[in-house]
Amino acid sequence: MLMDYLKVVSLITFLFCSSLSFSSETGPVSGEALQSLFSRLPEEARPSAFWWWFENAVEEKEITSELEDMLDKGLGGVTIYPVTQDKNKKFLGKESIPFLSKRWNEVFSHTLKEAERLGLYVDFSFNYGYPLGGVHVTGTPFGSRILTLATSRFTYSESLSDYQVPGWSTNKRLIGVYLVKTGWLPVIKEPVIYLDVTKQVRQGKLFCSLPEGRWMVLAIFCESTNQKVKFGEGEALDHFSKSAMRWQIYHAGGSVLKCIMESGAHSFRGFLLDGFEVKPELESSNKKGFFWSEGFLKDFFDKKRYELRSFLPELFYFAGETTPHVRYDYSDFLSQRTREHFYGTFITWAQKHRWGVRIQAAGSPSDEIMAYGMGFSPECSMMDYLSKHMMPKALLEGLDNKLASSASHLLGKTRCSAEAFTYLASPGKADLDVIKAEADNLFRQGVNRLVLHGYWYGKDTAPVLGRHYHADVAFGKMSPWWEHFRPLADYITRCSALLSLGQSVNPVAVYYPKADVWKKGAPKYALPEMKRKLLPVCNALIQSGYDFDFMNDELLRDEKIRSGIFSKRQYQCLIIFDAESLPYDTWKALEELTETGLPVLYHAQIPSFVCGIQEFREKQLQAAEIRVRLMKNSRILFSKTLDEMKTEIRKILEPDLVTGDPNLVFTHRSYPPYELYFVCNLSGKIISSRLSFAQTGYPYIGKATKGLVGACGFFQKKSFNRTEIPYSFKPHESVFVIFIS
């Protein structure tokens, strides 16, 4: 307990005092305009919090008390998130209030009115637990569904009649039946050759004529997963159906809408669509399959112009040169369907009522950059960390944060939020210095809004720490450091406001090679492998002084977006890292970009595979011709090792900031006439370094801990338009370095 107290005192002393005692390197206070930037504490930039309503056992008096407490600690809003954990429907001895009941609407209405009185905003999680679903989904045709495979073997020499289709059940819908000649091997030998005999099935029996031999029957069904909603009730929703999403909106959204209207309050801001955690597997057996939904076959034909049913076995077995094309087309179709039917349907409804939607797209089978960018605030989470309960590291351990911030930068969003501090420590065990360091870690990855995970409802939640809501730091009255949180909240607010100014400066674009995953046909499970593959190049760039955004096929193919971001030199280099496959339209876009003078660096290999089954042989030949032309272009670069990659980039692009220590990391925003660098020490040690910036203006040092800024007293102008500043960083210290042109 003494150690906890000392850590709290240490951080509070740091927050208040470090900003007041500039080193000898700083000069007089800067001009009024720059100082005003650091003095601001705009309400809309304040951190907010997930507010866990355990079992919905809430009451008006405590709601008011907790909203006042959050305002006092510097928060600007809440995201109400009902959570069910107790089978007895009780929390701290109080009975649960049924979700969306008359009594629940009363306390929700009270919350909106009190938030408006206090100047706080309210968001609401459209997920009651996760994945999205509920009791209104159970027993309906709107539950999550997948394709599953059943097989059986037989030896045949004459006509086949009355043969029972394997896995046949009235509880499943038959999609297709296929025959594979197996020979005498005990398993199927790939590549397989299959016959579609779906039309020869009647009432679960197969009738057909076949040559003599050993055969296997492949029966493909659509069946309900019956996946349960974790920390909620009922079953998971079909995430690929407009009808299912409209059903969800009718039962959940409609009730919330009515309550908001009746309250007369204007504090409600919008909804959160939590992470995409529906699984392509059966709840009962963990048997894996492929996402499926109503109208898939027709919609697929409309988009891809061929019959998917004729190729369905190739999702499960390799059948030759068409298989990766079919799997890519299925994954690409699934991506489009997710955005149109799931995200798009909900956003259209929310925007009709002038509400925003925060989208957590982590785990989505859709193109994550495009899915993140559909909301008014792309929102990442810390779920991609490889290890838990630890201090943040300078090396990236996951890419979801950068995917979300890339969507924000590429698609013109002013903010990028984060579900912050998830898995940082067990409830009540975090320290303020750890929380600040992780906030800095999020800021340097392009985040500029923090949503604390999370604030616990209840006067005294200490008795339930043993059955805590997993992954939670537990902000609130039960944590010993909560009464000291206000200075850290103000620090977060200033950083968020400053990092919302102008435009992010990430001079390198890194191609996101989702085609390599999609051609395998199981993006839900293959994506983590691909992200781990990208981590070395991303970390090599950061440690070499370059920040980056991810670039995807869809944005490269969009001529308007492509010309906008590359013609203005928002990105000065594109890296294609160890990619095997590219869609044909991406090949054409790359050729056009190189003709404009954009350097493109291919690392490890040059892609050689063209994705998509339509005219794939012709497109493969055309792509090969483009490839030959590209290799002759002087703007095309090649590298085999990470050291070679860094050398090649250095030839065409000066590092934006060389920190001199791998534990010093940064992000850069341009807000003319200011160039703002946020530099932070993620280690627990003192680091003295010489910071080398690709800037020539006059430098200032700003401390967001108290909103003070002063002229930099010691700096040196170097050759190649660079400025060097010596600085000694305290453990977990952060500074803004501002250049005025």
Side-chain angles (χ1 to χ4, degrees):
M1 194 66 189
L2 177 61
M3 290 301 295
D4 288 341
Y5 176 77
L6 291 175
K7 287 181 179 179
V8 169
V9 171
S10 174
L11 182 70
I12 296 301
T13 302
F14 168 71
L15 287 170
F16 277 107
C17 298
S18 66
S19 59
L20 296 174
S21 55
F22 288 104
S23 70
S24 61
E25 299 164 7
T26 58
V29 175
S30 67
E32 184 176 327
L34 182 57
Q35 180 60 60
S36 68
L37 288 179
F38 279 80
S39 301
R40 299 180 311 142
L41 286 171
E43 296 298 321
E44 59 90 24
R46 288 197 172 277
S48 61
F50 288 93
W51 192 9
W52 312 128
W53 282 15
F54 292 107
E55 317 306 334
N56 285 306
V58 295
E59 58 185 14
E60 286 85 349
K61 184 178 179 180
E62 180 63 18
I63 285 172
T64 296
S65 174
E66 294 190 6
L67 286 173
E68 290 175 343
D69 177 52
M70 285 186 266
L71 177 66
D72 180 63
K73 299 304 185 294
L75 272 59
V78 296
T79 299
I80 296 174
Y81 205 127
V83 177
T84 294
Q85 283 189 308
D86 196 321
K87 294 181 180 179
N88 297 318
K89 304 291 184 183
K90 289 185 178 182
F91 181 69
L92 297 178
K94 293 183 173 62
E95 294 290 334
S96 172
I97 299 174
F99 184 47
L100 301 179
S101 65
K102 181 179 179 181
R103 174 62 183 144
W104 190 92
N105 288 343
E106 289 174 355
V107 295
F108 184 59
S109 179
H110 172 81
T111 304
L112 295 174
K113 292 175 182 177
E114 287 296 276
E116 183 173 43
R117 177 180 68 84
L118 297 169
L120 301 172
Y121 67 80
V122 175
D123 285 351
F124 187 76
S125 172
F126 201 60
N127 301 58
Y128 182 13
Y130 52 83
L132 190 63
V135 293
H136 51 275
V137 174
T138 305
T140 72
F142 302 120
S144 174
R145 288 174 278 181
I146 61 171
L147 281 186
T148 59
L149 175 69
T151 64
S152 65
R153 300 172 65 92
F154 65 92
T155 302
Y156 173 71
S157 58
E158 296 181 9
S159 63
L160 187 68
S161 63
D162 202 31
Y163 183 83
Q164 180 67 49
V165 172
W168 174 266
S169 170
T170 55
N171 295 325
K172 300 185 289 187
R173 184 161 64 91
L174 182 67
I175 303 298
V177 178
Y178 309 84
L179 294 178
V180 177
K181 195 166 185 178
T182 63
W184 296 98
L185 295 174
V187 295
I188 288 183
K189 182 180 179 181
E190 297 180 314
V192 301
I193 299 175
Y194 56 89
L195 302 173
D196 185 351
V197 293
T198 307
K199 295 181 179 179
Q200 293 164 274
V201 175
R202 295 189 294 276
Q203 297 182 339
K205 305 290 185 178
L206 177 60
F207 302 84
C208 63
S209 298
L210 294 170
E212 182 177 352
R214 292 176 63 87
W215 296 83
M216 177 173 282
V217 181
L218 310 180
I220 298 176
F221 297 92
C222 171
E223 57 181 306
S224 298
T225 65
N226 300 122
Q227 182 181 349
K228 305 302 180 185
V229 176
K230 191 173 183 179
F231 299 112
E233 297 177 285
E235 294 183 0
L237 187 75
D238 180 348
H239 284 47
F240 309 97
S241 164
K242 286 183 180 179
S243 299
M245 176 54 87
R246 287 167 180 158
W247 180 258
Q248 185 79 10
I249 290 171
Y250 173 77
H251 281 272
S255 299
V256 174
L257 169 63
K258 182 180 178 182
C259 185
I260 293 169
M261 297 302 183
E262 291 178 351
S263 73
H266 298 89
S267 57
F268 189 77
R269 188 183 68 166
F271 289 94
L272 166 74
L273 277 180
D274 205 347
F276 198 102
E277 298 193 38
V278 63
K279 299 177 182 177
E281 60 187 52
L282 302 181
E283 181 84 4
S284 58
S285 63
N286 294 326
K287 181 178 181 180
K288 291 179 171 57
F290 293 86
F291 287 123
W292 201 256
S293 185
E294 58 171 315
F296 254 36
L297 291 174
K298 181 181 183 304
D299 197 13
F300 185 93
F301 180 83
D302 291 342
K303 285 182 168 61
K304 299 297 182 181
R305 309 312 300 171
Y306 69 94
E307 295 286 353
L308 179 59
R309 191 199 304 272
S310 301
F311 295 89
L312 278 180
E314 299 191 39
L315 294 181
F316 298 90
Y317 295 104
F318 180 73
E321 63 176 347
T322 59
T323 298
H325 297 288
V326 171
R327 292 175 177 177
Y328 172 84
D329 284 341
Y330 164 81
S331 301
D332 185 45
F333 164 76
L334 196 65
S335 172
Q336 296 177 51
R337 177 100 176 190
T338 306
R339 300 209 307 271
E340 293 170 6
H341 288 241
F342 182 67
Y343 298 118
T345 302
F346 183 72
I347 289 172
T348 298
W349 173 78
Q351 289 179 342
K352 179 181 177 182
H353 301 288
R354 299 183 179 180
W355 295 327
V357 178
R358 290 157 38 207
I359 290 181
Q360 291 190 4
S364 171
S366 177
D367 180 294
E368 291 166 291
I369 293 175
M370 305 308 294
Y372 275 123
M374 293 181 72
F376 87 98
S377 179
E379 182 160 307
C380 54
S381 67
M382 292 168 59
M383 300 298 289
D384 59 2
Y385 277 90
L386 301 180
S387 52
K388 304 172 185 177
H389 310 298
M390 60 185 293
M391 287 295 295
K393 292 182 177 180
L395 292 178
L396 297 178
E397 295 183 277
L399 301 180
D400 286 327
N401 298 342
K402 289 295 288 185
L403 284 168
S405 63
S406 296
S408 177
H409 303 154
L410 289 163
L411 298 171
K413 308 294 179 179
T414 59
R415 66 178 68 201
C416 175
S417 52
E419 174 192 301
F421 317 118
T422 313
Y423 279 126
L424 190 63
S426 299
K429 301 297 184 181
D431 297 318
L432 287 177
D433 56 345
V434 176
I435 294 172
K436 179 194 178 293
E438 182 52 47
D440 291 344
N441 187 30
L442 290 168
F443 288 142
R444 65 97 170 202
Q445 294 182 66
V447 170
N448 57 20
R449 294 294 186 279
L450 301 189
V451 188
L452 312 183
H453 190 283
Y455 190 100
W456 291 24
Y457 174 90
K459 294 180 181 178
D460 182 13
T461 52
V464 296
L465 282 176
R467 66 168 194 63
H468 62 265
Y469 187 45
H470 86 303
D472 196 77
V473 166
F475 294 86
K477 303 172 186 177
M478 82 294 297
S479 293
W481 42 260
W482 179 243
E483 61 180 295
H484 306 289
F485 187 74
R486 181 60 188 253
L488 182 53
D490 288 348
Y491 167 80
I492 291 172
T493 302
R494 287 194 182 92
C495 289
S496 296
L498 290 166
L499 295 174
S500 300
L501 297 173
Q503 178 176 301
S504 177
V505 179
N506 295 341
V508 177
V510 176
Y511 175 70
Y512 193 56
K514 62 179 183 291
D516 285 348
V517 174
W518 285 5
K519 72 178 184 180
K520 297 177 182 178
K524 182 76 175 180
Y525 299 105
L527 273 172
E529 177 187 346
M530 186 266 285
K531 291 177 180 178
R532 284 192 291 270
K533 177 180 173 181
L534 281 173
L535 278 173
V537 66
C538 297
N539 284 316
L541 286 170
I542 290 171
Q543 294 189 334
S544 299
Y546 305 97
D547 206 348
F548 68 93
D549 279 330
F550 285 112
M551 180 65 62
N552 66 358
D553 293 305
E554 218 161 317
L555 295 176
L556 283 172
R557 292 195 299 256
D558 189 311
E559 184 177 356
K560 183 177 179 181
I561 293 177
R562 183 175 72 241
S563 60
I565 59 179
F566 285 108
S567 64
K568 297 176 183 178
R569 287 295 183 261
Q570 179 176 339
Y571 300 101
Q572 300 175 47
C573 177
L574 173 63
I575 297 177
I576 300 180
F577 180 79
D578 199 14
E580 301 173 356
S581 316
L582 291 178
Y584 177 68
D585 289 341
T586 301
W587 276 108
K588 294 196 298 182
L590 289 174
E591 184 172 35
E592 292 177 13
L593 282 173
T594 54
E595 289 174 354
T596 67
L598 178 76
V600 178
L601 187 148
Y602 293 90
H603 180 80
Q605 63 176 312
I606 301 176
S608 58
F609 187 83
V610 176
C611 298
I613 203 169
Q614 289 291 351
E615 301 176 341
F616 71 91
R617 293 186 182 89
E618 293 84 350
K619 290 179 178 178
Q620 189 76 46
L621 292 173
Q622 294 170 15
E625 295 173 357
I626 295 175
R627 190 168 179 261
V628 170
R629 292 195 294 270
L630 287 176
M631 293 180 71
K632 297 177 180 179
N633 192 304
S634 61
R635 305 302 288 174
I636 298 298
L637 309 173
F638 307 96
S639 63
K640 292 183 179 181
T641 67
L642 291 178
D643 286 338
E644 287 182 9
M645 180 195 76
K646 290 185 284 188
T647 300
E648 291 297 325
I649 294 176
R650 190 69 180 259
K651 291 177 182 178
I652 58 173
L653 182 63
E654 275 290 306
D656 192 18
L657 167 56
V658 178
T659 64
D661 190 289
N663 289 300
L664 299 178
V665 291
F666 74 98
T667 189
H668 174 195
R669 295 191 72 88
S670 180
Y671 181 60
Y674 308 114
E675 298 296 324
L676 293 93
Y677 290 83
F678 174 79
V679 190
C680 57
N681 176 10
L682 292 183
S683 78
K685 62 182 181 180
I686 296 174
I687 298 178
S688 296
S689 184
R690 300 184 70 84
L691 307 176
S692 176
F693 298 85
Q695 298 291 336
T696 58
Y698 194 85
Y700 291 77
I701 304 293
K703 301 289 188 72
T705 46
K706 277 295 282 184
L708 297 179
V709 63
C712 180
F714 294 98
F715 60 91
Q716 185 177 7
K717 297 294 182 181
K718 308 289 283 187
S719 57
F720 304 111
N721 298 319
R722 301 193 69 84
T723 299
E724 199 170 88
I725 299 176
Y727 196 88
S728 181
F729 286 85
K730 301 179 181 71
H732 303 149
E733 183 182 4
S734 62
V735 298
F736 279 88
V737 181
I738 309 99
F739 290 86
I740 302 179
S741 58

